[in-house]
C-alpha cells in the first residue's frame, strides 16, 4: 500500500480535513482514535470547547509525563489537562448536554455508515463478543452534527460505506458527513454525495470501494489537506 | 474566541421575537432577573408565553411585563402572592391565559426539556384536577401522570459570577430555577453581578456550565423587587 | 371562645404535639402557618434538618433584624439563616428530594382531610379564585410521612375532617396523622382514629365537629402539651 | 445528633444482604470506591446485582468482586476494557447476567430513580437492538424509547470531602456517577478522602447534599486500581 494514489489520505489528513468543518465557538465531542487527532488541526483563531462524557467541559491536551491525575481523564480514559473556564459535572448532567442537543459536533469512528445516515459503530453482532456500547448511542442520538472519520474500507478491504448497515445500528439516520481515506462524503436525502476527493484517487476507485450508489458533486474538488508528512508532523 | 459577554441589557435582548417562549428565573424576588425583565419591556416583544414560578409583585419586574400587556400566557405554579394585583386582574378579565403546574413538575419539565427527555412520569398531581386531560399510567401499583418537557426560545436568569464561556455561579437560594432554565432555552441570558476572567471560577464550583448559556451581561447592583415596591416604583 | 374546654389546644400546643413525633435525624419540610411553629418545639437532643423547596437544606431561624438577605428565604418567602452543614441546590434537585422520598416528614396545614387520607389544601375550587398550587402537590405525593396541623373546624365552624373532601384534592390517600385543636387523629384503613384528646374536651364534642365516623382508641389519653400560655411563650 | 460518619469500612457495609442491588460509582478507575468494593468482598454478600459503568480491570476492585462470584448480574454500559478478563470469562461461561444500557440512559435511569420519576422517554437507542422489547413512542415526529428508573439498596461511591451530615464534594471527573447514585439508593455509602467539620464545605459548593447520603467513611489514601494492577495485586 505504498502507492499514494491508492492509499489516499493519511489519518492525520483526514483529521485535518474534519477540523476545517468545526466553526469558532463550537462545543465538540471527539471519539476515540482518529477523531482525537482533530483537536490538533482546528485552524488558528477558532476556539473550540471540548466535552467528554465522563464529566468535563473545556479540557486540553495530555499532561506532561508525571502530571497525570487518574481523576482527570477523557472518555477514552486517557489523561487530559484543564483549560481556563473548564467545568466538572456529574454523568446525568453530562448526558443532558448530549441528549439535549447542546453539543454542536461529535466526530466519531464507525464500522459502517449507510447511505440513509445509519451508523454502526458499537458491535459487529458476532456471537460470543462481549457487547459494549458506552456513550456511543447517546452521542449519535443527541448531538446536532454527527460526523464520521474512518478508513474508507476495513483492513480486509471490505467497504464501510454501505447501502444499508449489516452490523447492529448505533442509531438510524443521523450521520451528516463522512471523512474517509478517499474524500468527503455528504449524506443526502438521495444517498452519499462525494464532495471532495483525495488527491490522485480516481472516482472509479472510490466507487469500487463503496457498497452504495455514489453521486459526485458538480463542484467536486480535491481535498486541500497538507502533505501527509507535514500533517503527521503535528501529531 | 468564545465570548458570551454582551455590553448591556438591550444587546442581550435584541432578538427576542413576538410570540417567543421565555423562561424567567426566580422564586418571588429571590433570583429574579429584574433588569433583564425591564429590558424586555423596553425591547417591546409581544404575545410572549412566560414560564416562571410566580407572576410578580407590585408593578415592577414580571408584574410590570404582564401589566404592559406583553404576556399572552403564563405557565407557573403560584400565580398569586401577598402583593400581586396585575396578574389576578388580567386573569379575571380573561386577558391572560394560565397553565397551572405543580412547582416540582414545573422544574422537572424544564429540566427534561434541557436534557432531551420529551416526557416523563410523576406521582405529583395524580388523582387531582391538575391531572385532568393528561395521560396516566400505573407503575408497580401506583398511578403516575405523564408530563411533557418544556423547551423555550429564551431564558432570563440572575446569577452571581459569569465568565466569557458563560460559566455561572448563583447566590444562595437565588439559584432556584436558574440552572434548569439555562438548560432548556435555545438562548439563555444571564445577568451576573460580576464578570470574572475565565478560570476564576473553580471548575469544581461551576453551577451552570457555559454550554447552557448563550449570553452574559453584567448588572453590578441588581435592584430588589421589594425595595422598588417600597419606593413606589412602577416600571417603566 | 375563652372557655378552654371548648377551644382545646392552642396553635402553639398543636405545634408542640406535632414536634414530639419528629425523631432525631429527620429531614423535615414545614408548611406555612402553624407548621412553622413546630421547629420551636422539637425536643432537646434531637437534631432535625429542615428542607425548603426553594433550594436549601439545613436552614435555621429568622435572622436578626437588618441581617435579612432576599436570596436567603424559605418557601414562605420569609428570611432564614443557615446552620453549619447547610447546602444550596436548584429546583429540580430540590423536588427530586421531595418526589424521590428523601424527606422524612412534611407537616402541612389543610383545608380538609378525609377519612381515607385524602387532603385538600390548595384550592376551594371557588369560581373567580386564582388557582395556585406551588409545591403542595409535590410534597404530599412525595414525602414519606405527611402530617397535618389544623384547627379542628373553619372559622365559620365547618368541619375540616370529612368523610370525603369537597374541595379539589391535593393528593388522594396520603395523610397519616392530623393534629387539631381537639387532639391527635390517625388515618387508618377504617378511617379516623382519635389517639389523643385535648384536655377537658369531651369526645362527643369532637365527634360533633367531625364530618366523618370517628373511632376512639382504647388507649385514648390526653394530649400532654404544656399549658397554652407556657407554650406560647416559646414562639 | 445527626452523624453519618462510621468508623471503618466494615461498619459501613455490615448490613448489605445477599441479593442486594448495589450501585457502584466510577468510570473505569476514576471515582471507583475501591476500598468499599474490597470491603464488600470481605463482608461476603452474594447474589448481588451491581450497576456500574464498567466491569473492572485486573483482579482488584469491581473485577475482584465479580471474580469472587458475588455478582449475579451486571447492569452497565461498557463491560469490557483493555484490561478486563474476569467479566468476559464468566459471561462467556454463562455464569453472570448482563443488562447492557447506553451510558447516558444508565445515568438518567439512576437519576430518575433518585428523583421519584418511575419512567421517562429517551431518543437514545431508538431503532437499535437495545430498544428491542422496550416500549417506544413518537413525540413530535421522533421515536423515543421508554426507560424505567433504577433504584437500589446501596450505593458505594468515592468522594473527596464529607461531613457528619453526609454532604459531599468530589475530585474532578471522579465525580461521574457519584451524585446520581447517592440519590437512587436507600443507603448511599461514601468513602471520602477527608472528614471535615460541618460548615467547612461552603453551602454553595456542596455537590451532593447529605440528604442523599446514609454513611460516610474516611479513607485518607485510597488506592488506585491501575497502581494495584501494576503491582500485580489480586484481591483478596
Amino acid at each position: 500500500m505504498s502507492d499514494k494514489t491508492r492509499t489516499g489520505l493519511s489519518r492525520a489528513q483526514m483529521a485535518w480535513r474534519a477540523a476545517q468543518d468545526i466553526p469558532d465557538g463550537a462545543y465538540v465531542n471527539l471519539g476515540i482514535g482518529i477523531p482525537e487527532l482533530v483537536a490538533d488541526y482546528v485552524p488558528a483563531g477558532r476556539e473550540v470547547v471540548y466535552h467528554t462524557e465522563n464529566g468535563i467541559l473545556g479540557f486540553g491536551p495530555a499532561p506532561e509525563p508525571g502530571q497525570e491525575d487518574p481523576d482527570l481523564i477523557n472518555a477514552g480514559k486517557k489523561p487530559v489537562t484543564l483549560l481556563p473556564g473548564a467545568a466538572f459535572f456529574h454523568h446525568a448532567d453530562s448526558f443532558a448536554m448530549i441528549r439535549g442537543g447542546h453539543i454542536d459536533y461529535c466526530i466519531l469512528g464507525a464500522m459502517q455508515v449507510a447511505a440513509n445516515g445509519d451508523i454502526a459503530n458499537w458491535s459487529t453482532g458476532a456471537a460470543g463478543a462481549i457487547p459494549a456500547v458506552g456513550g456511543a448511542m447517546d452521542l449519535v442520538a443527541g448531538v446536532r452534527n454527527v460526523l464520521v472519520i474512518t478508513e474508507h474500507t476495513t483492513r480486509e478491504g471490505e467497504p464501510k460505506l454501505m447501502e444499508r448497515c449489516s452490523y447492529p445500528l448505533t442509531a438510524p439516520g443521523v450521520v451528516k458527513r463522512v471523512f474517509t481515506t478517499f474524500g468527503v462524503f455528504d449524506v443526502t436525502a438521495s444517498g452519499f454525495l462525494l464532495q471532495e476527493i483525495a488527491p490522485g484517487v480516481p472516482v472509479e476507485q472510490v466507487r469500487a470501494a463503496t457498497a452504495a450508489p455514489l453521486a459526485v458533486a458538480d463542484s467536486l474538488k480535491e481535498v486541500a489537506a497538507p502533505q501527509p508528512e507535514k500533517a503527521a508532523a503535528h501529531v | 474566541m468564545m465570548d458570551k459577554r454582551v455590553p448591556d441589557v438591550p444587546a442581550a435582548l435584541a432578538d427576542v421575537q413576538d410570540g417567543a417562549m421565555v423562561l424567567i428565573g426566580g422564586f418571588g424576588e429571590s433570583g429574579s432577573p429584574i433588569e433583564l425583565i425591564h429590558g424586555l419591556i423596553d425591547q417591546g416583544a409581544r404575545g410572549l408565553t412566560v414560564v416562571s414560578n410566580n407572576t410578580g409583585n407590585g408593578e415592577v419586574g414580571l408584574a410590570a411585563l404582564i401589566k404592559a400587556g406583553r404576556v399572552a400566557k403564563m405557565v407557573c405554579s403560584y400565580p398569586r402572592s401577598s402583593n400581586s394585583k396585575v396578574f389576578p386582574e388580567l386573569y379575571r378579565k380573561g386577558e391572560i391565559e394560565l397553565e397551572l403546574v405543580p412547582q416540582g413538575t414545573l422544574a422537572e419539565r424544564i429540566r427534561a426539556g434541557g436534557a432531551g427527555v420529551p416526557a416523563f412520569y410523576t406521582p405529583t398531581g395524580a388523582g387531582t384536577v391538575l391531572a385532568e386531560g393528561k395521560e396516566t399510567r400505573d407503575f408497580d401499583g401506583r398511578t403516575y401522570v405523564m408530563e411533557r418537557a418544556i423547551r423555550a426560545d429564551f431564558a432570563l436568569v440572575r446569577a452571581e459570577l459569569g465568565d466569557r464561556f458563560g460559566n455561572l455561579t448563583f447566590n444562595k437560594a437565588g439559584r432556584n430555577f436558574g440552572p434548569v432554565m439555562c438548560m432548556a432555552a435555545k438562548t439563555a441570558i444571564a445577568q451576573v453581578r460580576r464578570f470574572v476572567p475565565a478560570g476564576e471560577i473553580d471548575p469544581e464550583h461551576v453551577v451552570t456550565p457555559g454550554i447552557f448559556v448563550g449570553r452574559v451581561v453584567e448588572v453590578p447592583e441588581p435592584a430588589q423587587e421589594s425595595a422598588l415596591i417600597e419606593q413606589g416604583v412602577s416600571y417603566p
Side-chain angles (χ1 to χ4, degrees), chain A residues 204-231:
Chain A
E204 285 320 304
Q205 186 184 347
V206 180
R207 253 191 237 286
T210 302
L214 182 64
V216 178
D218 294 340
S219 59
L220 182 71
K221 55 180 182 178
E222 286 199 345
V223 177
Q227 290 304 306
E229 299 73 23
K230 193 175 165 191

Side-chain angles (χ1 to χ4, degrees), chain B residues 108 111 118-119 121 135 137 140 148 172 175 204-205:
Chain B
E108 190 68 12
R111 186 217 170 246
Y121 294 90
E135 260 186 66
R137 177 163 174 158
D140 305 326
R148 295 297 308 272
K172 306 187 183 74
R175 185 183 303 195
E204 300 278 10
H205 300 161

Side-chain angles (χ1 to χ4, degrees), chain A:
Chain A
M1 301 290 260
S2 60
D3 183 352
K4 196 172 135 203
T5 59
R6 287 185 56 212
T7 55
L9 304 177
S10 68
R11 292 160 51 97
Q13 285 178 311
M14 288 190 273
W16 177 91
R17 179 58 193 83
Q20 309 312 303
D21 278 13
I22 308 295
D24 188 29
Y27 289 94
V28 176
N29 184 296
L30 299 176
I32 298 168
I34 310 179
E36 288 178 87
L37 305 179
V38 170
D40 294 327
Y41 298 109
V42 171
R46 297 189 199 170
E47 187 172 45
V48 170
V49 176
Y50 295 102
H51 170 267
T52 179
E53 52 267 41
N54 54 314
I56 316 176
L57 262 179
F59 67 89
E64 297 296 318
Q67 300 299 306
E68 299 90 351
D69 180 333
D71 283 335
L72 192 53
I73 57 171
N74 65 17
K77 292 168 184 157
K78 290 186 191 148
V80 295
T81 50
L82 289 186
L83 300 177
F88 296 115
F89 34 83
H90 63 57
H91 250 68
D93 281 349
S94 184
F95 281 88
M97 294 175 190
I98 293 171
R99 204 189 308 102
H102 304 281
I103 312 277
D104 299 305
Y105 290 86
C106 76
I107 308 185
L108 298 166
M111 296 168 177
Q112 298 177 332
V113 178
N116 60 359
D118 291 0
I119 178 171
N121 76 344
W122 72 284
S123 166
T124 61
I130 308 294
V133 64
M137 286 191 180
D138 304 283
L139 283 162
V140 297
V143 173
R144 291 183 199 166
N145 297 286
V146 176
L147 311 183
V148 166
I149 304 183
T150 176
E151 308 280 343
H152 198 87
T153 57
T154 67
R155 276 177 220 166
E156 295 75 29
E158 296 295 321
K160 302 181 77 165
L161 273 59
M162 320 280 286
E163 176 80 40
R164 289 291 177 273
C165 295
S166 62
Y167 294 154
L169 295 189
T170 313
V174 295
V175 175
K176 296 214 167 168
R177 179 167 264 201
V178 187
F179 306 93
T180 81
T181 337
F182 289 160
V184 179
F185 303 78
D186 279 350
V187 178
T188 73
S190 47
F192 290 118
L193 175 65
L194 179 64
Q195 290 280 15
E196 300 178 28
I197 192 164
V201 174
V203 168
E204 285 320 304
Q205 186 184 347
V206 180
R207 253 191 237 286
T210 302
L214 182 64
V216 178
D218 294 340
S219 59
L220 182 71
K221 55 180 182 178
E222 286 199 345
V223 177
Q227 290 304 306
E229 299 73 23
K230 193 175 165 191
H234 291 135
V235 184

Side-chain angles (χ1 to χ4, degrees), chain B residues 113-131:
Chain B
V117 167
F120 61 92
Y121 294 90
T122 175
T124 302
T128 78
V129 295
L130 293 192

Side-chain angles (χ1 to χ4, degrees), chain B residues 96-171:
Chain B
I96 190 165
E97 198 185 336
L98 170 66
E99 180 181 342
L100 189 71
V101 182
Q103 195 170 334
T105 300
L106 186 64
E108 190 68 12
R109 288 177 63 190
I110 296 167
R111 186 217 170 246
V117 167
F120 61 92
Y121 294 90
T122 175
T124 302
T128 78
V129 295
L130 293 192
E132 280 173 14
K134 290 183 178 171
E135 260 186 66
T136 60
R137 177 163 174 158
D138 286 7
F139 293 99
D140 305 326
R142 188 172 182 190
T143 303
Y144 295 84
V145 184
M146 190 179 83
E147 294 281 357
R148 295 297 308 272
I150 292 176
R151 288 191 72 103
D153 300 300
F154 292 91
L156 313 183
V157 309
R158 190 170 82 188
E160 186 65 15
L161 306 179
D163 65 22
R164 69 180 176 89
F165 290 101
N167 292 307
L168 303 177
T169 67
F170 294 83
N171 182 44

